[in-house]
Amino acid sequence: MKSIERTVWLTLVCVAALIGYAYAQTRATSAPPDKTHIGFLLAKDMKWEGNPDSGQVHVNLIGDPAKPGLYIRLAKWLPGHYSKPHFHDIERYFYVVSGAWWVSSSNTYDPAKTYPMPTGTFVTDYANKVHFDGANKEDGVILEIGVGPMKSTSCATSPTACP
């Protein structure tokens, strides 16, 4: 094939691809699903709760960790904020949705002792085991799953309870 013919064909293919892409972008979207059949909550409609000055905000998607039953929530650790060493009376499960979640199993508070759990990591927080966690230089968004009610115990207020 001659060079000019190849250039013409490549140009036609590129123009056709651009037209198809433009059409796909302008086509009307269908109506959302019937919420009596499929429940959903768009990210733009999520109401983050909590005090950003404390370093963490959250959205309860299902249930509430303070009440009996299954709960699932998104928690966002803000950069430079960490909890202090503590433990919970229930086992909890986490999936790192975005950023990095920094965790430590030390009963001595020192952010330098934390280890990053990057996006895509699954974490189990065992019941009655000391830890602290937070975010380093970027938000750490985690999906938290547990069965409430959850009780937290601070090592600062109950040092003899912390191993």
Side-chain angles (χ1 to χ4, degrees), residues 94-115:
F94 299 87
Y95 180 78
V96 182
V97 177
S98 67
W101 182 38
W102 292 70
V103 301
S104 175
S105 57
S106 174
N107 62 2
T108 303
Y109 177 75
D110 180 359
K113 293 182 178 184
T114 59
Y115 185 84

Side-chain angles (χ1 to χ4, degrees), residues 104-136:
S104 175
S105 57
S106 174
N107 62 2
T108 303
Y109 177 75
D110 180 359
K113 293 182 178 184
T114 59
Y115 185 84
M117 300 292 160
T119 299
T121 303
F122 179 78
V123 178
T124 302
D125 178 14
Y126 298 110
N128 301 310
K129 300 295 182 183
V130 175
H131 66 277
F132 67 95
D133 50 338
N136 191 359

